[in-house]
Amino acid sequence: MDTYLIKGGKKLNGSVTISGAKNAALPIIVASLLAEGTTVLHNVPNLKDIQTILKVIECLGASYEFNTEHNTLKIHVNSLKNAEVPYDLVKTMRASIYVMGPLLARCGEADVSLPGGCAIGERPVDIHLSGFEALGSTITIEHGYIKARVQKLQGNRFIMRKVSVGATANIMMAAVLADGQTILENCAMEPDVVDLGNFLIKMGAKIQGLGTERIIITGVKKLKPVTYSIIPDRIEAGTFLIAGAITRGNITINNVIPEHFQACINTLSEMGFVISGGDSSVTIEPSKKLQGSMIRTLPYPGFPTDLQAPIMALMCTIPGISVIIETIFENRYTHVGELRRMGADIEIEGNVAVVKGGKQLQAAPVLMSDLRAGASLVLAALAAKGQTEIRRIYHTDRGYENFEQKLQSLGADIQRVKGGKP
Ligand code: EPZ
């Protein structure tokens, strides 16, 4: 298992180009199964999670060519088969459940391993399944597998009991080929869901209301393969802005859509950082007067849970008290124990974290427990005194393309040690 060695204390300076969005690319790759022919996707990040979803669609009969140098992915789809998606793939990546929507739409059956809990919470998939039932499917759980069956999906009205990115995407992928109209209420408004919707519309789907709480889908008979470019990754963008902030450097991120991470920009501004930018770039500079802040993680356009761990690392270095309320996942504070090992002063009470900031973080051996917790440790290490060793970096490999190379290009002293300690 690889590890990172990071010598902290260097101000990051310069500019970096943000990659395509992992959480948009995953459902869009799966949605390509909805049409026969060759789909071409640009701006696809070369990540572990993308490699995993490609294995999943291969199981179902698709083939692909991924030009990782140019981030272009060609997916070839002919007939689709409902092969069981093995537990090994689903447990590696929960987004494998996305194949249910297209499989039900095209084959009328889907057998997918039921994802278990994960490091950040229980993460049930009941809303996905109720949505498929609302469209006429019968669902059973047999020996750890979800088995969904339907003659032909029928449009219906479905109210999601909770805002869910995954359920909105999955049910939308099923409904585009259903008979009649589907009205989805309490939908996720995340840019990743909107990007999937725009891809489906380009394929010939009839969808209204993307980016709002109500999405109306009128089923069509067939979709066609298209060429499409994935939106930039707003969470990677936020992570690099925070890397600039935590090292009090001056960095510009390019190839971004600033409104997609406006909540993060607002929090950094409230803390006192100077943020400027154009249509597709954002620059962060430090200021002399910095202060703590308060955030509550919420569905989009609120502050994203995926930037909660990264911003907590920053809060540790800002004088004064900062408060975080995590409302999306019940166990998303696994980075706290590791940040404490680096000298952070953080109290947790239920879903509330109180950070007493202004501390000089110190290097310590630490472990990543999930993707964004991992990013938080990398950020903390960039600001810490001494050399931090971070283990289990396969977590950040899942979601940050060329992470260490991008940080090095900004002046960070970060090295990957191959085959390090587990
Ligand atoms: C997506 O996960 C992202 N993953 C997550 O990013 C992100 O943290 C999350 O949305 C929230 O923004 C992908 O897009 C692949 P949800 P998802 O369904 O779709 C509950 C990262 O680091 N819920 O919006 O699984 C659920 O437990 C990852 O890149 C149900 O109760 O999240 C959670 O509390 C991690 N039943 C809340 O809803 C369901 O059927 C929101 O989850 C579905 C969800």
Side-chain angles (χ1 to χ4, degrees):
M1 276 192 221
D2 296 356
T3 57
Y4 277 145
L5 291 181
I6 301 175
K7 283 200 190 109
K10 295 221 159 134
K11 280 187 200 301
L12 299 197
N13 282 303
S15 64
V16 66
T17 299
I18 297 303
S19 301
K22 165 180 83 82
N23 289 346
L26 288 170
I28 287 174
I29 289 171
V30 175
S32 69
L33 299 174
L34 287 163
E36 279 185 19
T38 299
T39 293
V40 181
L41 300 176
H42 296 294
N43 207 29
V44 178
N46 181 21
L47 298 168
K48 259 276 157 53
D49 274 7
I50 299 294
Q51 301 289 352
T52 307
I53 204 75
L54 290 173
K55 279 189 203 147
V56 171
I57 64 163
E58 234 179 358
C59 285
L60 307 177
S63 62
Y64 65 87
E65 296 143 63
F66 190 9
N67 181 331
T68 52
E69 216 171 293
H70 293 104
N71 297 96
T72 298
L73 175 65
K74 282 188 187 164
I75 302 172
H76 311 287
V77 181
N78 287 315
S79 59
L80 203 59
K81 58 174 191 254
N82 168 32
E84 274 187 1
V85 177
Y87 176 58
D88 277 351
L89 289 178
V90 178
K91 83 170 171 16
T92 314
M93 195 187 58
R94 306 172 59 83
S96 311
I97 187 118
Y98 277 146
V99 299
M100 285 196 78
L103 275 175
L104 277 174
R106 282 203 51 200
C107 311
E109 53 178 46
D111 297 351
V112 180
S113 171
L114 178 66
C118 89
I120 60 175
E122 200 185 318
R123 301 185 74 183
V125 291
D126 60 301
I127 306 170
H128 302 234
L129 303 186
S130 316
F132 297 137
E133 279 173 339
L135 299 185
S137 313
T138 54
I139 309 269
T140 52
I141 309 288
E142 293 173 28
H143 306 290
Y145 276 76
I146 307 164
K147 291 192 184 280
R149 298 289 180 268
V150 68
Q151 278 284 329
K152 179 79 178 81
L153 291 167
Q154 299 293 327
N156 199 351
R157 179 162 178 255
F158 178 66
I159 306 173
M160 279 172 260
R161 69 167 176 83
K162 195 172 180 182
V163 177
S164 160
V165 171
T168 307
N170 218 344
I171 302 165
M172 192 159 76
M173 288 191 276
V176 286
L177 289 178
D179 279 343
Q181 193 179 67
T182 298
I183 301 178
L184 298 180
E185 309 273 10
N186 200 23
C187 293
M189 299 189 278
E190 268 67 2
D192 314 285
V193 174
V194 175
D195 207 33
L196 167 67
N198 285 333
F199 173 71
L200 292 167
I201 289 171
K202 199 165 180 198
M203 292 172 90
K206 294 213 167 90
I207 304 175
Q208 289 170 294
L210 288 173
T212 73
E213 286 160 14
R214 171 188 282 184
I215 297 178
I216 302 174
I217 301 155
T218 307
V220 296
K221 293 259 171 307
K222 219 175 161 168
L223 296 173
K224 60 177 188 302
V226 293
T227 296
Y228 192 79
S229 189
I230 309 285
I231 52 166
D233 196 309
R234 66 202 163 96
I235 305 300
E236 188 198 6
T239 304
F240 274 92
L241 278 188
I242 297 170
I246 203 166
T247 62
R248 311 295 191 260
N250 182 332
I251 73 163
T252 298
I253 53 172
N254 293 319
N255 184 37
V256 293
I257 302 175
E259 83 178 68
H260 286 176
F261 49 101
Q262 194 61 49
C264 174
I265 291 176
N266 292 351
T267 302
L268 292 169
S269 302
E270 277 162 29
M271 287 172 156
F273 292 96
V274 181
I275 312 248
S276 56
D279 289 346
S280 62
S281 69
V282 177
T283 299
I284 185 160
E285 295 166 66
S287 82
K288 292 231 160 53
K289 201 163 163 18
L290 294 173
Q291 60 181 13
S293 179
M294 183 191 156
I295 60 155
R296 181 190 295 269
T297 63
L298 287 171
Y300 188 83
F303 193 95
T305 173
D306 291 345
L307 284 175
Q308 178 261 108
I311 204 133
M312 186 189 279
L314 172 63
M315 287 169 166
C316 294
T317 70
I318 305 265
I321 302 277
S322 289
V323 178
I324 296 178
I325 306 173
E326 170 61 57
T327 75
I328 307 292
F329 291 111
E330 65 273 19
N331 190 27
R332 221 174 187 184
Y333 284 139
T334 54
H335 45 288
V336 169
E338 303 302 292
L339 290 175
R340 283 191 190 127
R341 286 176 51 72
M342 299 180 73
D345 185 346
I346 305 163
E347 289 294 322
I348 302 285
E349 184 71 47
N351 66 341
V352 180
V354 177
V355 182
K356 289 188 194 137
K359 300 273 178 301
Q360 169 61 61
L361 295 171
Q362 305 148 17
V366 285
L367 293 178
M368 292 187 183
S369 53
D370 80 64
L371 167 56
R372 309 302 172 186
S376 161
L377 298 180
V378 169
L379 294 167
L382 292 173
K385 198 161 186 230
Q387 178 171 280
T388 299
E389 180 187 324
I390 309 182
R391 300 188 200 169
R392 301 192 186 162
I393 65 171
Y394 56 84
H395 286 294
T396 37
D397 289 344
R398 292 183 63 168
Y400 291 93
E401 189 181 40
N402 300 330
F403 202 20
E404 69 266 23
Q405 290 87 342
K406 287 186 183 183
L407 288 167
Q408 282 160 358
S409 76
L410 295 169
D413 187 340
I414 172 170
Q415 304 298 333
R416 175 185 292 257
V417 180
K418 292 261 174 209
K421 299 171 193 132

